[in-house]
Amino acid sequence: MSAAIPIYDIGSLSSDRLGEEEIIVSRLSHYLVTHPNLKFPHRHSFYHLVLFTKGEGTYEIDFVKCTVSPSQMYFMVPGQVHSWDLTGDNDGYIINFSSSFFHSFLLSPEYLKQFSFLAGIVDGSIITLPENLRQEITAVFESIIEEAQLKHRVNRDMIRVLLLRIFLTINKHLGSRPEQKVTGSKVILIRNFQNLVEQHFHRLRLPRDYATLLYITPNHLNALSKDILGKPAGEVIRERVLLEAKRRLIDFDLTISEVAFQLGFNDNSYFTKFFKKYGGITPEEFREKHS
């Protein structure tokens, strides 16, 4: 059987860093040559974003397979499982940055959580840029590349500014789409719900538990979840539990019973039923598929 999937931090990927706060800035073509092992499933302990300017093949994020296309951009947060199967001539830009990279720069340590594409949800973290936006974002990436090559301490703040410009520009683009026109208070509530699910999914499994923490009714939470996320609150919770089960099942140092117990399933048979119902296959079949 395969060993547990590796977890990479920025230091393990490069010794060429910008000062104390860790960040890697690279053209994608160079990154693929210098890190060929990243085509195999792995996790990151840092944020990771890629813009494809040309390319073919597929990549997989948290067991969701996606097809590469030019002008496509994807974002990943720490802990997500990732692999590449790229063919042909691929290029673009890649930036890896640590969770602490913005801490000394921004007043709020929670600032990045406002961006839906940095929520760790695959459906919302893959964006195809229209031509005018692709040109604008590409120009910013080029500026970041230039600043990174100078390797002066002062340039770290310039890189932070430029990276935030990318986030804010894409956020503005997403907010301008008709399906994204939702009032700010509703979005904040749903972001808070998602953050609470991330913190408590091991032990809180019912929408009413989260509604209580948010000081709203379960019906209100459900309506907001359907309106903004396109799915009921219970499904959001189940999907997070299922994702964590998948992540842990590919760690072959753990037995299936241990995975079930870690996720709060006291009955292994109930865990198997849950996984089969919402994952489509049994835990054993899933593990065999990824062995």
Side-chain angles (χ1 to χ4, degrees):
M1 277 202 172
S2 304
I5 62 172
I7 301 176
Y8 294 111
D9 58 30
I10 292 181
S12 68
L13 293 180
S14 174
S15 59
D16 184 14
R17 289 172 281 167
L18 296 174
E20 296 176 1
E21 282 108 346
E22 297 176 325
I23 182 168
I24 291 176
V25 177
S26 177
R27 297 192 187 278
L28 181 59
S29 56
H30 175 73
Y31 193 81
L32 293 173
V33 171
T34 54
H35 303 294
N37 57 317
L38 297 184
K39 66 181 179 180
F40 301 109
H42 61 279
R43 299 188 200 215
H44 301 149
S45 65
F46 47 83
Y47 288 89
H48 168 80
L49 58 140
V50 173
L51 169 63
F52 287 99
T53 55
K54 60 179 179 179
E56 298 176 355
T58 62
Y59 57 92
E60 192 170 294
I61 303 174
D62 277 339
F63 315 102
V64 177
K65 184 169 286 190
C66 311
T67 301
V68 172
S69 64
S71 300
Q72 185 185 73
M73 192 168 183
Y74 72 78
F75 300 81
M76 288 179 56
V77 302
Q80 292 188 279
V81 178
H82 183 221
S83 62
W84 279 332
D85 184 15
L86 303 181
T87 59
D89 187 16
N90 291 273
D91 207 357
Y93 307 89
I94 186 165
I95 295 179
N96 299 327
F97 66 94
S98 67
S99 298
S100 62
F101 184 64
F102 286 104
H103 284 183
S104 63
F105 190 72
L106 298 172
L107 182 62
S108 170
E110 304 294 307
Y111 185 83
L112 295 183
K113 291 186 177 180
Q114 71 176 293
F115 301 117
S116 60
F117 45 84
L118 291 177
I121 301 171
V122 177
D123 287 347
S125 63
I126 301 170
I127 301 163
T128 299
L129 306 178
E131 179 59 24
N132 62 324
L133 188 59
R134 184 195 65 79
Q135 292 180 4
E136 180 180 352
I137 296 296
T138 298
V140 179
F141 269 111
E142 283 293 332
S143 296
I144 292 175
I145 292 282
E146 291 176 12
E147 295 294 337
Q149 289 172 343
L150 295 174
K151 299 177 184 175
H152 295 157
R153 186 176 183 84
V154 69
N155 295 95
R156 286 181 293 153
D157 281 349
M158 182 61 74
I159 290 173
R160 291 184 180 100
V161 170
L162 293 168
L163 192 51
L164 286 174
R165 180 179 173 184
I166 290 176
F167 296 160
L168 290 166
T169 300
I170 291 176
N171 199 52
K172 181 180 178 181
H173 164 67
L174 295 176
S176 69
R177 298 189 304 187
E179 68 272 19
Q180 296 293 331
K181 290 188 178 297
V182 185
T183 62
S185 60
K186 291 181 178 179
V187 171
I188 290 172
L189 267 173
I190 284 299
R191 294 289 172 263
N192 288 339
F193 167 56
Q194 291 175 310
N195 290 336
L196 287 170
V197 171
E198 189 65 30
Q199 296 172 39
H200 303 295
F201 70 88
H202 295 84
R203 62 185 187 86
L204 300 182
R205 300 288 170 80
L206 300 176
R208 68 168 177 261
D209 297 326
Y210 294 94
T212 298
L213 293 173
L214 292 166
Y215 299 100
I216 60 177
T217 67
N219 286 342
H220 187 194
L221 175 60
N222 225 28
L224 284 176
S225 185
K226 288 179 180 178
D227 187 25
I228 298 174
L229 302 178
K231 63 188 75 173
E235 187 174 339
V236 174
I237 300 165
R238 289 191 297 271
E239 285 181 350
R240 185 62 186 90
V241 175
L242 182 65
L243 172 58
E244 193 65 23
K246 290 178 178 179
R247 289 176 175 175
R248 299 192 185 206
L249 283 169
I250 60 174
D251 180 350
F252 293 96
D253 293 332
L254 296 173
T255 67
I256 291 175
S257 295
E258 287 172 331
V259 171
F261 180 77
Q262 289 178 0
L263 293 177
F265 292 89
N266 294 324
D267 185 339
N268 191 48
S269 64
Y270 177 55
F271 171 66
T272 297
K273 289 177 182 177
F274 172 89
F275 195 94
K276 177 70 182 293
K277 181 176 181 179
Y278 298 108
I281 57 177
T282 67
E284 291 83 359
E285 290 168 338
F286 177 84
R287 176 164 274 187
E288 179 66 26
K289 182 179 177 182
H290 290 85
S291 61

